[in-house]
Amino acid sequence: MFLTSNFLLLTSYLFLANLGVLESQVAANPESLKVAAEYRQAAIAAAEYDRAIKFLTDLADRPGAGPRVLLNLGLAYIDKAPAVGAFRRISLGNKATEALTRSIAREPSDIAYLIRGLVHLHFEKGFYHRTPDGVADLEKALGLAQPHLDRRYVARIYVALGDGYWRLKNRDKARTTWREGQSRFPADDRLALRLTATDTVINDTIAHDLDAGVRVDTSLRDLE
């Protein structure tokens, strides 16, 4: 028991020390999506969600803060969502949307519209009918992505936009969107599944993928 306790303390110390190093790197280059994404993944591993949110909020509130630190702040709220109850997730979704809206106001990028669109789709609950807003954001993201449709993250736009159409009962438009995406990304498993599965499997897949309680990959690796 003593050895186990010491090991846990050492592990916790190392996690926190690593966060401190990464915070210095982010503070030195707050507009680096990659550096801030690495920091958030470390915060997830250490379950230090509130620390990451506060740190990124402080950076985002600095005079002259750019759009990308706000984008990562929005993602930090999403990182916390699976660790709290359903009611608190609503508040986190709203705060993520606010941060992403501020990011878009500074720079209307396809990445920011993609992420805000996904947030809208994930937080469609009860009286919060956010799917139409999500679809509008994803359509905007796809439009802004036209000059670089070969980038890997664009596949995620096609998947999510089709999912939004499907949820809005426009299944023909959903399949057309997925087929267009597959023509550009033939190896993408998400698009292949949606184009070959039964309606029941598609419904279940979308419900799982858009469940705000399920952790999603926010590492931004597709941007590499």
Side-chain angles (χ1 to χ4, degrees):
M1 179 65 72
F2 178 74
L3 289 175
T4 301
S5 298
N6 278 351
F7 176 76
L8 291 175
L9 286 171
L10 177 60
T11 301
S12 177
Y13 172 79
L14 292 174
F15 270 131
L16 295 178
N18 184 46
L19 286 177
V21 171
L22 289 170
E23 283 171 350
S24 296
Q25 294 174 358
V26 175
N29 190 6
E31 286 301 287
S32 170
L33 287 177
K34 181 178 179 180
V35 172
E38 289 176 356
Y39 167 66
R40 287 189 298 95
Q41 300 315 296
I44 292 171
E48 289 285 342
Y49 308 107
D50 291 334
R51 173 172 172 165
I53 289 170
K54 183 181 185 308
F55 172 70
L56 291 168
T57 297
D58 289 344
L59 289 180
D61 287 344
R62 289 180 177 179
R68 293 188 168 192
V69 67
L70 283 160
L71 190 153
N72 265 297
L73 173 59
L75 288 172
Y77 286 116
I78 300 306
D79 291 338
K80 185 179 178 180
V84 302
F87 183 76
R88 290 183 65 194
R89 285 185 206 129
I90 295 173
S91 175
L92 291 172
N94 291 338
K95 289 177 179 178
T97 302
E98 290 171 5
L100 292 162
T101 299
R102 290 171 63 195
S103 175
I104 289 169
R106 286 166 171 75
E107 180 183 63
S109 68
D110 55 347
I111 296 169
Y113 273 109
L114 165 61
I115 296 172
R116 192 175 72 173
L118 284 167
V119 171
H120 283 310
L121 295 188
H122 275 79
F123 289 89
E124 169 79 14
K125 299 290 183 183
F127 295 105
Y128 297 91
H129 301 299
R130 298 176 63 165
T131 296
D133 290 335
V135 167
D137 275 351
L138 292 162
E139 289 175 337
K140 185 70 173 178
L142 189 58
L144 290 170
Q146 292 302 306
H148 44 254
L149 287 174
D150 59 330
R151 294 182 183 175
R152 286 192 299 169
Y153 67 85
V154 175
R156 189 71 186 90
I157 300 176
Y158 282 109
V159 172
L161 182 54
D163 289 356
Y165 289 141
W166 187 273
R167 184 182 272 174
L168 293 177
K169 311 300 183 185
N170 195 338
R171 295 184 175 183
D172 289 341
K173 198 165 186 178
R175 289 192 172 96
T176 297
T177 301
W178 293 329
R179 278 195 295 269
E180 181 181 341
Q182 190 181 51
S183 70
R184 298 184 182 280
F185 302 94
D188 191 283
D189 292 339
R190 298 162 300 185
L191 292 165
L193 185 150
R194 285 159 172 78
L195 289 169
T196 57
T198 64
D199 288 2
T200 299
V201 171
I202 294 173
N203 286 332
D204 291 345
T205 299
I206 292 175
H208 176 271
D209 288 356
L210 298 181
D211 184 344
V214 175
R215 183 163 302 286
V216 295
D217 182 2
T218 63
S219 66
L220 304 180
R221 291 188 183 94
D222 284 348
L223 300 185
E224 296 176 357

